[in-house]
Amino acid sequence: MNNNDMDNLIKQHYGFIIKSTSDVTGKYVSADSDLYLSIAMEAFQEAYHRYELDKGPFLPFAKLVIKSRLYNQLKKEQKDKRVASIDEMEEQGIFLGEDPENDNPLKEEIIEWAKELQQFSITFEHLVESSPKHSDTRIRAIDISEKSSSDGEVTGFIYEKKRLPIRLISTKQNVTEKIIKGSKVFILSIIIVFYKKYEQLILWIKR
């Protein structure tokens, strides 16, 4: 098949390619300039060249190839976001330690921590945005987190209600609710580190 024939084939199935892209990404696809659409069109061409009759109808096979290529792109973007967020945390002094992108136990704990935070709808980007910027505030928040992590009433509330028991912590630790509210996302995230006993992360945080 020459280039003109391939262009015609893509035009014929343009709607299918756009819909397949949108189904995977969950986003509006711009027909003018869209990275995902470009990847999907390349995947469509790849599917055509790889297609054999014993693979079944062509379009379902093409959709599988498109989904595979788009999922790879989305996974890459998530990894890039995670790395960027970790770099930002380092710059702000939230963490000081090894490079988490190296293949080491710290990296594995960071991945597990990210998964744990998902059930509270917290991402690393969200954590960076809401973390205390002043070192004294951050140290105090870490202290509150560590003490709270060993309090069964607090951790039970967190996992049952999926939020931080601000008033309860304020009463138990004799700190104002305003202080806790100001760092609530950070405190909740660090409580999980101590509660789950992520040893490498604990060392990283305390350094």
Side-chain angles (χ1 to χ4, degrees):
M1 176 179 282
N2 59 39
N3 290 338
N4 288 335
D5 290 338
M6 178 57 72
D7 288 344
N8 289 333
L9 185 65
I10 289 175
K11 288 178 183 178
Q12 182 182 347
H13 296 289
Y14 199 62
F16 163 81
I17 297 172
I18 288 179
K19 185 177 186 306
S20 298
T21 305
S22 182
D23 287 347
V24 174
T25 62
K27 301 176 181 179
Y28 172 77
V29 177
S30 169
D32 295 327
S33 59
D34 190 285
L35 171 63
Y36 301 124
L37 183 56
S38 297
I39 292 171
M41 286 194 291
E42 289 178 6
F44 183 86
Q45 295 180 60
E46 177 189 347
Y48 177 82
H49 292 300
R50 288 175 49 194
Y51 176 67
E52 297 174 2
L53 287 175
D54 60 3
K55 296 183 184 293
F58 171 67
L59 288 183
F61 173 71
K63 187 164 187 176
L64 284 174
V65 177
I66 290 171
K67 285 174 66 175
S68 175
R69 298 298 169 265
L70 288 173
Y71 279 140
N72 287 341
Q73 175 63 25
L74 291 171
K75 283 168 63 177
K76 178 182 180 298
E77 289 176 4
Q78 285 302 313
K79 179 181 177 182
D80 289 346
K81 283 182 180 179
R82 187 172 70 243
V83 173
S85 297
I86 290 169
D87 288 344
E88 285 184 57
M89 286 191 275
E90 285 278 4
E91 288 172 9
Q92 294 178 17
I94 296 171
F95 299 115
L96 296 171
E98 304 169 65
D99 178 2
E101 280 308 296
N102 289 334
D103 193 11
N104 56 49
L106 177 58
K107 175 184 174 182
E108 297 303 318
E109 287 188 357
I110 288 173
I111 292 171
E112 289 302 314
W113 185 32
K115 291 177 182 176
E116 193 72 16
L117 291 177
Q118 284 178 357
Q119 62 183 297
F120 301 96
S121 301
I122 297 174
T123 64
F124 281 160
E125 296 95 305
H126 188 194
L127 177 57
V128 168
E129 291 170 1
S130 55
S131 294
K133 303 302 184 286
H134 195 279
S135 60
D136 288 345
T137 307
R138 190 162 56 247
I139 289 169
R140 180 170 53 189
I142 291 172
D143 183 59
I144 292 170
S145 302
E146 184 172 11
K147 291 175 181 175
S148 297
S149 69
S150 58
D151 188 320
E153 190 176 2
V154 172
T155 55
F157 183 100
I158 287 172
Y159 277 91
E160 180 182 352
K161 304 292 186 180
K162 304 302 180 188
R163 59 186 175 86
L164 193 67
I166 294 173
R167 182 170 299 175
L168 180 62
I169 294 174
S170 171
T171 301
K172 283 175 173 284
Q173 299 197 31
N174 194 29
V175 294
T176 66
E177 292 185 20
K178 182 179 179 180
I179 288 174
I180 299 170
K181 286 179 180 177
S183 305
K184 64 181 182 180
V185 173
F186 180 79
I187 290 173
L188 175 54
S189 302
I190 302 304
I191 285 175
I192 290 170
V193 171
F194 285 106
Y195 179 70
K196 288 292 183 177
K197 294 181 171 58
Y198 295 137
E199 295 179 359
Q200 299 299 318
L201 272 169
I202 290 170
L203 291 173
W204 193 18
I205 290 167
K206 288 191 170 183
R207 281 202 297 265

